[in-house]
Amino acid sequence: MNKAIILLTACTGLIHTMDMAAQRQKPNIVLIITDQQRADLCGREGFPLPVTPFADSLASRYAWFNKAYTAAPASVPARCSLLSGRFPSATHVRTNNNIPDAFYETDLLDVLKAEGYRTALVGKNHTYLKAEEVFDYFVGYGHRGKEKPETEEEKALARFLKKEVPGHYLKPAPIPVEQQQPYQIVSHALDWVEQQKESPFFICVSIPEPHTPSQVCDPYYSMFPPEDLPPLLTSRKDLEKKGEKYMALAALEDKACPNLQQQIPRLRSIYLGMVRMIDDQIRRLVEGVKSCGNEENTLFIILSDHGDYCGEYGIIRKGAGVPESLTRIPMIWAGYGIKPQSYPMDAHISIVDIFPTLCSVVGAEIPVGVQGRSLWPMLKGDDYPREEFSSIIVEQGYGGEDFTLEEPLSFEESGFFRPGVEGSFGGLTPWTQSGSLRMIRKGDWKLAMDNNGRGELYNLKEDPSEINNLFGNHKYVSEQLDLLKDLLTWNIRLQDPLPVPRRQYPFKRNPYNYHRHIDHE
C-alpha cells in the first residue's frame, strides 16, 4: 500500500513537472499599445525625422505592416475589438460610452488564462474588462495620471495634468521624463516581468500618450522644432471638400482654441516629441524583458488603437470621417516565431486579427464569434490565402441620422466643451459620430460609404491626403465597382454568428478563420 502511494505521488509529481515544462514552452507575449499614434510618422514609412528609431529597427529585423487598420477610429471601440476579435457592429461598442454593452462569448484573456498564462495590464484600460479582477497584476493609468497615485511624484504629475494641461501645454513640461507616464508604466511592467519564472506570461503595456493632454519635457520638447517639420499637404481650405462633419469639428476646435492655426506647428512638434519619448521607453521595455532571460521565447507586438490628424486639414486630434491619418495604425511583430521580412507585409489587416493570431501562437482554437483572422502563417513565412487579405474594412459612427450645423444644440450643451478653457474639447461629438460610415481599403484605392448613400473614392498613391473625391467619375467605374463588391462582401461576412445554432446545424470554420482557401496553383 505504501509503495502504491509512493508510486502515485511520484507519477503525480512527474505529470506536474511535465505540465510545467509544456507551459514554459509557450511563448511570453508583450503587447505594447499606444493611444492615438499615427502610422506614417516614422522612418520606415519615409518620414524624414528620427521619431521612432527603435521601432523602425525592430521592423527592419522582423515584420511590420503598412496596411494595418483600426476597427473604428476611437479608443474604446478599437480596444474592445482587439480583445474580442470582433468588429464594433458585433461587440455593440460603437462609441467610448458603450463599455457596458460589450457583446462577445470568449475573449483574449479567457483563452490565455485557459492556456496557463499569468497576465498583467499596466497603463490605460478603457475596455469592458474589470482589470482588478481579470488580470493577475494591474497598475492603472489614464490621461491625467495614475489611477491611484501614491508617491508625491505621482501626485505632482496628476495635479499638473489636471490643472495645467486641459488640452495642451505649449512650453517645455516641468515634469522630467522619469516622472512622465510612459517611463513609469514601463518601470511597473519590468518590475512584474522580472518576477515571472514559472508560467508563461502575457503583459499589455498600454501607454496613454500621444493622446491629449499634449505635453512633453525636454529634451523631447526641443527635439523637433516647428521650423524643421515637413510642410502639411492640406489646410483649412480643404475642409469644404471633406464635408460638413469636418467643418463642424473645425468650428468646435476654433471655439476651444481661438489661436489654433498659429499653434499647430508647435502642437505637431510636441506630438512628435511625445512619440519619440514613447519610442525610447519601448526600447527600454524590450531590452529590459530580454535582459530577464526572455529573448528567445518572447513575442513583441507594437501598435496603436487609432491615429490623429496632427494638423491635417487644419484640425487636430480625431473625430470626423475615416481618413488614413485616423484609421491606419502602426503594427510591428517581433521576436518569437517571426520570419524576418525585407519589406512591409503585403496584406491588409485589422486590429481584430490580433486575438485570433495569438490563439494560433499559443495553440488554442479560435473561439466561435471571433471575426478576425490569424496572421500567424504569414508571420512565420508559411503559405496563406493572399486574396483573404486583399482588402480590409473600418467602421465608424453610432447610427441614427446625421447631426448638422443647423441643429439647435450648441457645443456647450453637448458636454464636450468648457467655455474659456483653452484646448478643452473632445472630437467625438454628435456632429462627428452620428450616422454610420464604412470604409474599404484595397491596394492603392479606398472607398467610403455613409448611411445616406454618399460615397468617397480616392487613389491613395496619387492623392494620399484624400482631397480629390473620384466617386461617380466614369473614368474609375471599374475601381469603384470592385471596391463596392468588397465592401458588400465584408458587410455580409461581418453579420454576427453569435448565437450559433443550438442544434441540427454544424458550424463550419477554417482553423485560421480564413474565408478563402489557399491557392496552391
Side-chain angles (χ1 to χ4, degrees):
M1 187 68 175
N2 290 338
K3 289 182 178 179
I5 294 174
I6 292 172
L7 181 60
L8 179 61
T9 301
C11 289
T12 302
L14 178 60
I15 291 171
H16 176 73
T17 301
M18 293 173 63
D19 204 36
M20 291 299 295
Q23 291 292 344
R24 286 308 298 167
Q25 290 177 2
K26 295 181 184 293
N28 303 313
I29 301 168
V30 178
L31 178 68
I32 305 165
I33 181 168
T34 63
D35 194 338
Q36 207 161 296
Q37 181 179 343
R38 273 180 65 149
D40 60 344
L41 302 180
C42 58
R44 62 188 179 276
E45 295 216 5
F47 194 72
L49 300 174
V51 182
T52 59
F54 180 70
D56 291 337
S57 70
L58 274 185
S60 69
R61 289 183 283 125
Y62 291 101
W64 66 284
F65 295 86
N66 63 357
K67 292 187 285 290
Y69 284 81
T70 185
S75 291
V76 173
R79 290 164 184 258
C80 290
S81 289
L82 186 160
L83 289 172
S84 65
R86 292 159 58 79
F87 281 84
S89 55
T91 64
H92 304 171
V93 182
R94 298 179 179 89
T95 74
N96 284 354
N97 301 315
N98 286 117
I99 288 177
D101 307 309
F103 179 66
Y104 64 97
E105 193 168 89
T106 304
D107 71 2
L108 175 61
L109 269 296
D110 293 327
V111 168
L112 291 174
K113 284 182 171 291
E115 293 295 321
Y117 275 75
R118 295 274 295 167
T119 61
L121 168 61
V122 182
K124 177 181 175 179
N125 182 3
H126 221 191
T127 73
Y128 56 79
L129 292 176
K130 293 179 172 56
E132 297 88 346
E133 301 173 9
V134 173
F135 291 93
D136 297 307
Y137 178 73
F138 170 64
V139 181
Y141 281 78
H143 294 300
R144 306 287 173 178
K146 193 176 181 182
E147 289 183 5
K148 299 177 181 178
E150 299 169 332
T151 69
E152 284 305 313
E153 291 179 347
E154 292 168 349
K155 293 175 182 177
L157 175 62
R159 284 194 300 270
F160 170 69
L161 294 175
K162 291 174 182 177
K163 295 182 179 180
E164 302 295 328
V165 198
H168 44 250
Y169 191 83
L170 298 178
K171 300 176 290 185
I175 306 296
V177 63
E178 293 80 10
Q179 296 175 31
Q180 292 276 349
Q181 293 194 138
Y183 190 99
Q184 293 295 319
I185 287 169
V186 167
S187 295
H188 286 296
L190 289 175
D191 287 345
W192 184 77
V193 167
E194 289 171 0
Q195 300 171 30
Q196 307 312 304
K197 305 298 182 184
E198 300 298 328
S199 301
F201 66 80
F202 166 84
I203 183 168
C204 177
V205 181
S206 179
I207 297 173
E209 288 84 0
H211 187 290
T212 47
S214 300
Q215 58 83 31
V216 74
C217 60
D218 270 325
Y220 302 102
Y221 178 87
S222 305
M223 199 170 285
F224 307 105
E227 61 271 18
D228 291 348
L229 304 184
L232 292 167
L233 300 178
T234 58
S235 68
R236 284 289 178 93
K237 71 180 186 327
D238 298 303
L239 280 180
E240 190 171 348
K241 296 178 182 178
K242 296 305 294 178
E244 193 170 83
K245 289 181 181 289
Y246 287 79
M247 297 168 69
L249 179 59
L252 169 61
E253 294 189 1
D254 285 345
K255 291 194 73 172
C257 309
N259 301 309
L260 179 60
Q261 296 310 295
Q262 292 74 38
Q263 294 171 345
I264 279 179
R266 174 52 68 184
L267 289 172
R268 292 177 67 203
S269 169
I270 290 172
Y271 183 89
L272 295 175
M274 295 171 76
V275 174
R276 176 56 186 267
M277 177 173 65
I278 292 167
D279 188 71
D280 286 348
Q281 294 312 304
I282 292 176
R283 177 195 298 272
R284 179 169 160 252
L285 174 66
V286 171
E287 292 178 350
V289 171
K290 290 181 176 180
S291 71
C292 295
N294 298 305
E295 183 168 3
E296 301 300 324
N297 197 41
T298 300
L299 176 63
F300 297 92
I301 309 155
I302 303 172
L303 75 152
S304 192
D305 53 3
H306 57 80
D308 189 305
Y309 298 115
C310 201
E312 295 290 349
Y313 318 114
I315 52 182
I316 58 175
R317 304 181 191 175
K318 61 182 180 291
V322 286
E324 294 291 284
S325 56
L326 298 189
T327 56
R328 196 162 68 85
I329 57 175
M331 191 180 294
I332 298 170
W333 294 71
Y336 173 86
I338 304 298
K339 181 180 179 180
Q341 304 289 333
S342 301
Y343 302 97
M345 300 292 291
D346 185 26
H348 301 69
I349 67 166
S350 172
I351 198 170
V352 304
D353 296 327
I354 291 175
F355 173 24
T357 303
L358 293 181
C359 287
S360 298
V361 170
V362 304
E365 182 179 3
I366 297 173
V368 173
V370 170
Q371 297 172 317
R373 307 143 303 170
S374 175
L375 309 176
W376 197 230
M378 74 170 74
L379 288 168
K380 292 191 301 176
D382 296 342
D383 288 342
Y384 68 95
R386 295 183 181 276
E387 184 64 21
E388 172 75 31
F389 297 93
S390 64
S391 65
I392 194 61
I393 192 171
V394 175
E395 301 181 348
Q396 195 258 6
Y398 63 75
E401 291 299 311
D402 291 333
F403 279 88
T404 70
L405 290 174
E406 284 71 42
E407 299 293 331
L409 294 171
S410 70
F411 290 129
E412 288 85 346
E413 290 169 344
S414 75
F416 295 96
F417 171 70
R418 287 183 290 160
V421 181
E422 176 86 8
S424 64
F425 72 90
L428 305 179
T429 72
W431 290 272
T432 64
Q433 302 301 295
S434 56
S436 296
L437 190 62
R438 297 293 183 268
M439 179 211 104
I440 199 87
R441 167 76 190 273
K442 187 174 187 179
D444 292 336
W445 289 88
K446 175 175 180 174
L447 173 79
M449 295 293 299
D450 73 4
N451 53 300
N452 292 302
R454 293 174 296 205
E456 299 174 66
L457 177 67
Y458 302 108
N459 183 325
L460 296 177
K461 185 176 182 180
E462 302 294 332
D463 181 23
S465 299
E466 303 163 74
I467 296 300
N468 185 23
N469 185 2
L470 302 174
F471 189 83
N473 188 319
H474 71 277
K475 293 182 180 180
Y476 306 102
V477 64
S478 176
E479 289 84 358
Q480 183 172 311
L481 287 174
D482 184 49
L483 288 165
L484 284 169
K485 176 185 174 183
D486 273 43
L487 182 60
L488 177 59
T489 301
W490 268 105
N491 274 283
I492 294 172
R493 182 186 295 181
L494 296 185
Q495 299 302 302
D496 191 5
L498 296 180
V500 297
R502 296 183 182 276
R503 61 182 183 275
Q504 184 179 354
Y505 300 105
F507 198 78
K508 183 179 179 180
R509 294 189 302 143
N510 180 283
Y512 296 115
N513 241 20
Y514 296 156
H515 293 264
R516 304 176 189 271
H517 296 293
I518 297 177
D519 184 2
H520 290 288
E521 296 180 2

